[in-house]
mmCIF file of all heavy atoms in Angstrom:
data_model
loop_
_atom_site.group_PDB
_atom_site.id
_atom_site.type_symbol
_atom_site.label_atom_id
_atom_site.label_comp_id
_atom_site.label_asym_id
_atom_site.label_seq_id
_atom_site.Cartn_x
_atom_site.Cartn_y
_atom_site.Cartn_z
ATOM 1 N N LEU A 19 27.581 39.813 16.702
ATOM 2 C CA LEU A 19 27.083 38.457 16.805
ATOM 3 C C LEU A 19 26.917 38.088 18.283
ATOM 4 O O LEU A 19 27.892 38.215 19.039
ATOM 5 C CB LEU A 19 28.036 37.482 16.111
ATOM 6 C CG LEU A 19 28.350 37.785 14.655
ATOM 7 C CD1 LEU A 19 29.319 36.752 14.119
ATOM 8 C CD2 LEU A 19 27.067 37.780 13.853
ATOM 9 N N THR A 30 31.011 23.595 22.601
ATOM 10 C CA THR A 30 30.403 23.771 21.291
ATOM 11 C C THR A 30 29.942 25.216 21.182
ATOM 12 O O THR A 30 29.105 25.661 21.995
ATOM 13 C CB THR A 30 29.209 22.833 21.109
ATOM 14 O OG1 THR A 30 29.675 21.496 21.206
ATOM 15 C CG2 THR A 30 28.559 23.040 19.750
ATOM 16 N N SER A 35 23.180 35.252 13.702
ATOM 17 C CA SER A 35 22.738 36.654 13.691
ATOM 18 C C SER A 35 21.325 36.721 13.173
ATOM 19 O O SER A 35 21.004 36.084 12.188
ATOM 20 C CB SER A 35 23.658 37.483 12.806
ATOM 21 O OG SER A 35 23.160 38.810 12.703
ATOM 22 N N PRO A 58 44.297 36.254 11.722
ATOM 23 C CA PRO A 58 43.964 37.618 11.362
ATOM 24 C C PRO A 58 42.475 37.805 11.066
ATOM 25 O O PRO A 58 41.794 36.842 10.744
ATOM 26 C CB PRO A 58 44.793 37.859 10.089
ATOM 27 C CG PRO A 58 44.879 36.501 9.489
ATOM 28 C CD PRO A 58 44.952 35.527 10.630
ATOM 29 N N LEU A 74 38.588 34.832 25.282
ATOM 30 C CA LEU A 74 37.222 35.175 24.887
ATOM 31 C C LEU A 74 36.238 35.131 26.038
ATOM 32 O O LEU A 74 35.290 35.895 26.082
ATOM 33 C CB LEU A 74 36.756 34.220 23.772
ATOM 34 C CG LEU A 74 37.378 34.449 22.406
ATOM 35 C CD1 LEU A 74 36.842 33.438 21.400
ATOM 36 C CD2 LEU A 74 37.143 35.868 21.911
ATOM 37 N N PHE A 237 16.717 -0.398 0.928
ATOM 38 C CA PHE A 237 17.742 0.632 1.047
ATOM 39 C C PHE A 237 19.006 0.101 1.749
ATOM 40 O O PHE A 237 20.108 0.608 1.464
ATOM 41 C CB PHE A 237 17.188 1.830 1.831
ATOM 42 C CG PHE A 237 16.387 2.772 0.996
ATOM 43 C CD1 PHE A 237 15.781 3.882 1.566
ATOM 44 C CD2 PHE A 237 16.227 2.565 -0.368
ATOM 45 C CE1 PHE A 237 15.035 4.746 0.802
ATOM 46 C CE2 PHE A 237 15.481 3.414 -1.152
ATOM 47 C CZ PHE A 237 14.897 4.522 -0.559
ATOM 48 N N ILE A 273 7.987 -17.992 9.013
ATOM 49 C CA ILE A 273 8.027 -18.947 10.107
ATOM 50 C C ILE A 273 9.053 -20.024 9.793
ATOM 51 O O ILE A 273 9.000 -20.643 8.730
ATOM 52 C CB ILE A 273 6.638 -19.587 10.373
ATOM 53 C CG1 ILE A 273 5.588 -18.501 10.613
ATOM 54 C CG2 ILE A 273 6.706 -20.529 11.539
ATOM 55 C CD1 ILE A 273 5.860 -17.647 11.849
ATOM 56 N N GLN A 279 11.204 -26.018 17.471
ATOM 57 C CA GLN A 279 10.626 -24.784 17.983
ATOM 58 C C GLN A 279 10.392 -23.819 16.828
ATOM 59 O O GLN A 279 11.262 -23.665 15.955
ATOM 60 C CB GLN A 279 11.553 -24.139 19.030
ATOM 61 C CG GLN A 279 11.788 -24.980 20.257
ATOM 62 C CD GLN A 279 10.540 -25.128 21.103
ATOM 63 O OE1 GLN A 279 9.691 -24.245 21.152
ATOM 64 N NE2 GLN A 279 10.442 -26.265 21.802
ATOM 65 N N ALA A 391 -21.006 -17.292 -24.462
ATOM 66 C CA ALA A 391 -22.250 -17.025 -25.208
ATOM 67 C C ALA A 391 -23.343 -16.511 -24.297
ATOM 68 O O ALA A 391 -24.104 -15.595 -24.660
ATOM 69 C CB ALA A 391 -22.710 -18.304 -25.925
ATOM 70 N N GLU A 402 -28.365 -3.061 -24.411
ATOM 71 C CA GLU A 402 -28.841 -2.585 -25.724
ATOM 72 C C GLU A 402 -30.381 -2.623 -25.819
ATOM 73 O O GLU A 402 -30.988 -1.629 -26.188
ATOM 74 C CB GLU A 402 -28.258 -3.448 -26.821
ATOM 75 C CG GLU A 402 -26.718 -3.379 -26.895
ATOM 76 C CD GLU A 402 -26.153 -4.246 -27.996
ATOM 77 O OE1 GLU A 402 -26.957 -4.799 -28.783
ATOM 78 O OE2 GLU A 402 -24.921 -4.389 -28.077
ATOM 79 N N GLU A 429 -67.238 22.535 -24.925
ATOM 80 C CA GLU A 429 -67.214 22.718 -23.471
ATOM 81 C C GLU A 429 -66.989 24.192 -23.150
ATOM 82 O O GLU A 429 -66.131 24.847 -23.728
ATOM 83 C CB GLU A 429 -66.066 21.868 -22.889
ATOM 84 C CG GLU A 429 -65.890 22.076 -21.392
ATOM 85 C CD GLU A 429 -64.688 21.322 -20.885
ATOM 86 O OE1 GLU A 429 -64.025 20.638 -21.666
ATOM 87 O OE2 GLU A 429 -64.386 21.444 -19.672
ATOM 88 N N SER A 456 -24.821 -0.087 -18.155
ATOM 89 C CA SER A 456 -23.563 -0.037 -18.873
ATOM 90 C C SER A 456 -22.986 -1.434 -19.063
ATOM 91 O O SER A 456 -23.237 -2.346 -18.236
ATOM 92 C CB SER A 456 -22.557 0.852 -18.121
ATOM 93 O OG SER A 456 -22.228 0.284 -16.886
ATOM 94 N N VAL A 458 -19.885 -2.426 -18.829
ATOM 95 C CA VAL A 458 -18.879 -2.795 -17.830
ATOM 96 C C VAL A 458 -19.569 -3.304 -16.569
ATOM 97 O O VAL A 458 -19.149 -4.312 -15.982
ATOM 98 C CB VAL A 458 -17.990 -1.586 -17.515
ATOM 99 C CG1 VAL A 458 -17.039 -1.911 -16.381
ATOM 100 C CG2 VAL A 458 -17.230 -1.146 -18.758
ATOM 101 N N GLY A 479 -23.917 -28.746 -3.416
ATOM 102 C CA GLY A 479 -24.065 -29.956 -4.228
ATOM 103 C C GLY A 479 -22.887 -30.894 -4.146
ATOM 104 O O GLY A 479 -22.982 -32.030 -4.613
ATOM 105 N N ALA A 508 10.634 -33.745 -20.168
ATOM 106 C CA ALA A 508 9.582 -34.281 -19.278
ATOM 107 C C ALA A 508 8.274 -33.621 -19.648
ATOM 108 O O ALA A 508 8.225 -32.467 -20.138
ATOM 109 C CB ALA A 508 9.929 -34.079 -17.823
#
Side-chain angles (χ1 to χ4, degrees):
L19 304 179
T30 299
S35 174
L74 287 180
F237 278 178
I273 303 298
Q279 297 292 329
E402 298 179 7
E429 176 185 358
S456 66
V458 175

